Amino acid sequence: MSAVDQSRRSFAAWVGFLLTAVAAGAAIPSQGRVNSELTAEVDDPFLAALISFSTGLILMLAIAGLTPRGRRTLREVRPALRRGEVRWWYLLAGCIGGYFVLAQSLTIGIIGVAVFTVAVVTGQTLGGLLWDRIGLGPAGRKRLNTVRVLGALLTVLAVLWTVSPQLSGHTGAWTWLLLVIVPLTAGFTNSAQQALNGRQSAAYGSPIPATLINFIAGTAVLVLAYLVKLLVSGAGEALPSTPWFYLGGPLGCVFIGLGAVLVTRVGVLLAAMGMIAGQLIGSLMLDLVAPAPGTVITTATVLGTLLTLVAVVIASLPDIRRTR
């Protein structure tokens, strides 16, 4: 193959990475909007999070059990555990996903989507740097050179710029600042979840088993949390009849499955940053098509979103050069 053909294939691969990352990231704000509305409807963030994960579990059980590839790759789980390619604690990555969804249900209605996004993105970026450095993902250790760190910092600044119109309207800063710790830690651990899912997907040859195991573990944790909540304060409202309130789980399947594939290809940091770009683009499109109360779209919103894409490209440069 000529150098020109290799260059073209490299460029096409990274365009594919960006599109996949945007699609995966865009599922997050959509899921957040659904879960926030569901929480308001049932008046119970624990029940809303459990409903979200349960619907995702039902979908993944259908995909894994009814498709030939799903059944075939499920049979790879035990051999991968015996070979040591997958450690038993990798299977607990879904507990992090349960925490992430619960963080959405608990905090978005109080601190708003803007603050939630900044906190999650900061956590994802810091986590991506750390997990790549210690080699938690399937791609092994990645050097944190100047370009990668610059891209990560530029991503956080771009997100702050994007959501600055919403941030400026907050009062009682110290009250909701404490709540920011929840989505911050959710974003930080979420990048670890993607790393562990990537390891599993590489061992199984498909993201289907890892995604299913994620939803089993996450649902189990949320069932326990909901039972504790029932003992403390009782049940909330009746289940809603509106169909789109139950789409949070399927959107989580998209995010977890595509994220696992991305981590195996480009590492934890770049996967996280690509999905951050997707989150901002998805949020922008969602606010344009179906704006929530208090939504503000300004020039900073649009330019900050574009700057995030630039930051992802900058951080990708070392990998693009290596591929070429």
Side-chain angles (χ1 to χ4, degrees):
M1 183 183 295
S2 68
V4 174
D5 289 336
Q6 286 183 332
S7 179
R8 287 174 178 171
R9 289 188 62 179
S10 174
F11 178 75
W14 283 96
V15 169
F17 147 67
L18 284 174
L19 293 177
T20 304
V22 167
I28 299 177
S30 302
Q31 183 191 50
R33 177 72 68 84
V34 170
N35 288 342
S36 179
E37 294 288 340
L38 178 59
T39 299
E41 182 73 14
V42 300
D43 192 28
D44 188 338
F46 292 91
L47 178 59
L50 179 58
I51 290 172
S52 179
F53 244 74
S54 298
T55 54
L57 176 58
I58 292 170
L59 177 60
M60 287 311 304
L61 285 171
I63 292 174
L66 300 179
T67 63
R69 187 184 184 193
R71 293 193 297 269
R72 184 178 69 254
T73 53
L74 276 178
R75 292 194 289 269
E76 297 295 325
V77 176
R78 284 189 177 180
L81 284 167
R82 285 197 299 267
R83 292 192 302 266
E85 293 180 35
V86 174
R87 306 286 182 86
W88 67 267
W89 52 274
Y90 293 3
L91 307 182
L92 302 179
C95 300
I96 299 173
Y99 175 59
F100 187 90
V101 172
L102 185 59
Q104 288 179 333
S105 301
L106 284 170
T107 63
I108 285 182
I110 302 174
I111 65 177
V113 177
V115 180
F116 181 88
T117 301
V118 171
V120 167
V121 164
T122 304
Q124 287 174 325
T125 305
L126 295 175
L129 287 168
L130 176 62
W131 309 132
D132 264 351
R133 181 68 184 86
I134 66 177
L136 186 63
R141 291 190 178 187
K142 285 182 172 288
R143 290 175 53 200
L144 299 184
N145 54 41
T146 304
V147 176
R148 284 183 181 278
V149 175
L150 177 62
L153 292 175
L154 189 60
T155 300
V156 175
L157 291 175
V159 173
L160 284 170
W161 188 20
T162 302
V163 302
S164 58
Q166 291 103 312
L167 289 174
S168 61
H170 278 283
T171 56
W174 286 109
T175 303
W176 55 260
L177 188 59
L178 294 175
L179 289 172
V180 170
I181 296 174
V182 176
L184 178 68
T185 54
F188 184 80
T189 54
N190 174 258
S191 56
Q193 178 192 14
Q194 295 302 327
L196 296 177
N197 288 342
R199 279 191 176 271
Q200 292 185 69
S201 297
Y204 309 145
S206 167
I208 293 175
T211 307
L212 173 60
I213 293 169
N214 266 245
F215 276 95
I216 293 173
T219 301
V221 167
L222 291 173
V223 166
L224 291 176
Y226 182 62
L227 289 176
V228 172
K229 182 264 171 189
L230 284 180
L231 292 175
V232 173
S233 58
E237 301 294 329
L239 295 179
S241 58
T242 308
W244 68 269
F245 281 157
Y246 298 91
L247 292 179
L251 289 168
C253 293
V254 173
F255 166 61
I256 294 173
L258 291 182
V261 173
L262 285 168
V263 169
T264 63
R265 304 291 189 223
V266 298
V268 185
L269 177 60
L270 282 182
M273 291 175 63
M275 287 186 285
I276 287 168
Q279 287 179 59
L280 294 182
I281 293 173
S283 297
L284 180 59
M285 294 297 100
L286 197 61
D287 287 341
L288 288 172
V289 175
T295 297
V296 179
I297 299 177
T298 66
T299 303
T301 307
V302 178
L303 293 181
T305 301
L306 295 176
L307 182 59
T308 307
L309 289 173
V310 173
V312 174
V313 172
I314 289 174
S316 304
L317 288 177
D319 296 87
I320 295 174
R321 291 169 182 166
R322 187 180 303 112
T323 303
R324 287 182 178 178

